[in-house]
């Protein structure tokens, strides 16, 4: 199978298929406000299968479908397929895991977190697409006055919703803004971005580095924690400001406020990092994955016998059961430890 023979089907179930605008399929058309608005949403079905379709359709023969074809390479978001559904003999499934769980019967699972991809056989890492139409900060940085959180407010660490945080900001003359999803690409008035989900040390193996990469593209300072996705993208201590606690965050903000040269140094590092993460960079990663992995694996799959297919399904049934039991016992152990600690210290 060579590139000219590759046909990619992007499946979105009928409950989530973009019927209202699926014929407006030019991501390069900057005047296409409806498609741009769709890709700026928080809808995973649009951000993964629909966006990937738009980005790759000029490179491969791609079809956006609302029904599963009987054969071929089929890409889908995990939420479109039940955990018990199995591929047909001539189907080659590529599950776009996103924030969800891997699919046990999919021949390939694609993760947006590098560390998560390492935990599964035939798990591959692909970065989440960057926000479309990012508006960069172009004015000189004169201080830390406008602090932003670009994301779902439900995922923001509780400390940054507290009265203490509000009082601190008021005392220091700092505005903290959590814009709606429609404005997550607008960094023109941003001095720094806080990309913090929690201070509890959670590596967030299901989360991407999008907040970091988008902030770099927006030419602003990034303050975050040691999330696994952030660590995988940073190779210099100045790529972002890492904090381990709420107290440290407040101290860093005061330091940036009082040391403009330090703040500008971090901003200049964001400018440097943004050069790497062009749209072509993300698209090339997909093309390499398809050329180096998907095409060869599909060629092997199509040559398998019916017995090979049945053995594959049986093997995945055992694997699904194993992971289910593993998660069950892990949950029970965690609950017992939590109950013990509560009884010990209450």
């Amino acid at each position: 199978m060579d590139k000219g023979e590759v046909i990619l089907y992007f499946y979105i179930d009928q409950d989530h298929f973009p019927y209202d605008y699926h014929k407006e399929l030019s991501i390069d058309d900057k005047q296409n406000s409806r498609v741009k608005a769709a890709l700026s949403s928080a809808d995973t079905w649009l951000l993964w299968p629909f966006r990937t379709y738009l980005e790759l359709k000029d490179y491969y023969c791609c079809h956006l479908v609302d029904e599963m074809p009987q054969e071929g390479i089929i890409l889908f978001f995990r939420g479109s397929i039940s955990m018990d559904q199995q591929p047909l003999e001539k189907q080659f499934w590529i599950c776009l895991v996103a924030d969800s769980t891997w699919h046990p019967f999919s021949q390939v699972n694609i993760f947006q977190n590098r560390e998560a991809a390492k935990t599964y056989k035939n798990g591959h890492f692909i970065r989440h697409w960057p926000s479309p139409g990012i508006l960069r900060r172009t004015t000189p940085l004169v201080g830390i006055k406008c602090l932003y959180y670009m994301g779902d407010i439900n995922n923001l660490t509780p400390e940054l919703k507290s009265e203490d945080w509000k009082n601190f900001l008021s005392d220091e003359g700092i505005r903290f803004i959590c814009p709606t999803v429609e404005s997550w690409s607008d960094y023109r008035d941003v001095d720094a971005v806080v990309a913090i989900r929690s201070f509890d040390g959670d590596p967030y193996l299901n989360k991407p580095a999008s907040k970091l990469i988008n902030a770099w593209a927006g030419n602003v300072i990034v303050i975050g924690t040691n999330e696994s996705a952030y660590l995988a993208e940073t190779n210099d201590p100045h790529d972002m400001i890492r904090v381990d606690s709420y107290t440290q965050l407040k101290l860093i903000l005061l330091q940036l406020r009082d040391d403009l040269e330090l703040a500008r140094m971090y901003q200049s590092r964001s400018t440097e990092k943004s050069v790497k993460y062009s749209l072509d960079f993300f698209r090339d990663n997909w093309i390499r994955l398809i050329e180096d992995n998907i095409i060869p694996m599909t060629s092997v799959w199509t040559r398998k016998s019916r017995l090979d297919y049945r053995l594959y399904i049986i093997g995945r049934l055992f694997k699904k059961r194993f992971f289910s039991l593993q998660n069950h016992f892990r949950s029970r152990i965690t609950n017992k430890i939590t109950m013990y600690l509560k009884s010990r210290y209450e």
Side-chain angles (χ1 to χ4, degrees):
M1 179 184 292
D2 58 34
K3 182 175 178 179
E5 299 173 332
V6 176
I7 301 176
L8 304 176
Y9 295 97
F10 293 83
Y11 168 68
I12 302 177
D13 62 275
Q14 295 180 8
D15 289 337
H16 299 92
F17 195 87
Y19 293 108
D20 291 340
Y21 45 78
H22 75 282
K23 293 182 180 179
E24 304 174 39
L25 298 178
S26 175
I27 196 171
D28 295 320
D29 181 4
K30 302 305 181 184
Q31 303 304 315
N32 195 334
S33 58
R34 299 181 72 209
V35 170
K36 182 179 177 181
L39 297 178
S40 299
S41 73
D43 188 329
T44 307
W45 284 267
L46 299 178
L47 297 181
W48 272 102
F50 185 54
R51 175 73 182 271
T52 307
Y53 164 80
L54 290 174
E55 297 289 359
L56 296 182
K57 69 186 183 69
D58 291 336
Y59 298 85
Y60 300 99
C61 179
C62 297
H63 299 281
L64 188 68
V65 297
D66 61 358
E67 292 184 0
M68 271 276 195
Q70 295 297 300
E71 61 182 75
I73 303 173
I74 306 167
L75 297 92
F76 59 89
F77 166 51
R78 163 64 189 83
S80 285
I81 301 290
S82 76
M83 288 288 280
D84 296 322
Q85 192 168 342
Q86 302 169 5
L88 302 176
E89 287 185 51
K90 294 184 179 181
Q91 291 177 334
F92 189 88
W93 283 8
I94 302 174
C95 175
L96 308 174
V97 176
D99 289 4
S100 190
T101 56
W102 67 296
H103 196 288
F105 296 103
S106 184
Q107 289 92 332
V108 171
N109 282 275
I110 293 181
F111 296 84
Q112 60 188 3
N113 183 293
R114 191 187 302 273
E115 292 303 312
K118 295 177 181 179
T119 61
Y120 300 95
K121 183 180 179 181
N122 292 333
H124 293 273
F125 166 66
I126 282 287
R127 294 172 180 85
H128 194 292
W129 293 104
S131 293
I134 287 179
L135 301 173
R136 293 168 57 84
R137 181 193 175 100
T138 57
T139 56
L141 184 65
V142 296
I144 304 298
K145 295 294 183 182
C146 292
L147 195 63
Y148 276 65
Y149 172 78
M150 299 291 199
D152 185 343
I153 193 67
N154 293 317
N155 293 330
L156 178 64
T157 186
E159 290 87 344
L160 303 192
K161 303 174 187 176
S162 67
E163 285 301 317
D164 181 80
W165 175 244
K166 293 177 183 177
N167 293 334
F168 167 78
L169 295 172
S170 177
D171 292 343
E172 303 303 333
I174 301 173
R175 298 173 62 207
F176 183 54
I177 301 168
C178 300
T180 58
V181 62
E182 295 82 8
S183 299
W184 287 356
S185 296
D186 191 348
Y187 291 83
R188 289 173 295 181
D189 297 324
V190 179
D191 295 325
V193 161
V194 172
I196 300 176
R197 294 184 175 90
S198 74
F199 292 107
D200 61 8
D202 191 327
Y204 288 99
L205 295 178
N206 66 322
K207 294 296 185 181
S210 298
K211 288 180 174 60
L212 175 65
I213 293 173
N214 287 335
W216 282 339
N219 194 32
V220 300
I221 299 168
V222 191
I223 306 173
T225 55
N226 289 319
E227 286 192 22
S228 56
Y230 298 162
L231 295 177
E233 301 295 341
T234 53
N235 50 28
D236 184 288
H238 298 121
D239 287 344
M240 64 173 282
I241 300 174
R242 295 194 183 97
V243 295
D244 298 320
S245 66
Y246 174 54
T247 299
Q248 188 180 8
L249 170 62
K250 292 192 289 185
L251 292 174
I252 284 292
L253 289 174
L254 295 179
Q255 186 178 4
L256 292 173
R257 181 199 63 184
D258 297 336
D259 190 340
L260 184 57
E261 289 305 311
L262 177 66
R264 286 176 173 171
M265 183 272 293
Y266 277 110
Q267 185 194 27
S268 67
R269 187 59 184 162
S270 292
T271 306
E272 294 171 12
K273 294 293 289 187
S274 68
V275 174
K276 171 184 175 181
Y277 295 92
S278 66
L279 189 55
D280 285 339
F281 170 79
F282 289 86
R283 194 182 292 119
D284 289 345
N285 284 341
W286 265 101
I287 292 173
R288 282 199 302 274
L289 175 65
I290 292 169
E291 303 291 330
D292 297 344
N293 296 280
I294 303 304
I295 291 176
M297 291 178 70
T298 304
S299 296
V300 172
W301 177 261
T302 56
R303 293 196 298 269
K304 288 183 179 295
S305 66
R306 178 163 293 183
L307 176 60
D308 291 331
Y309 167 76
R310 289 175 176 170
L311 290 174
Y312 172 83
I313 295 298
I314 292 171
R316 289 307 178 104
L317 281 169
F318 278 110
K319 191 171 185 178
K320 177 176 179 286
R321 181 58 177 166
F322 171 77
F323 273 95
S324 177
L325 289 172
Q326 185 182 56
N327 291 334
H328 172 71
F329 285 117
R330 183 183 293 122
S331 177
R332 287 188 64 182
I333 291 171
T334 300
N335 289 338
K336 286 185 177 181
I337 292 173
T338 301
M339 291 175 64
Y340 169 77
L341 292 175
K342 284 184 176 180
S343 64
R344 183 76 170 80
Y345 294 105
E346 283 183 350

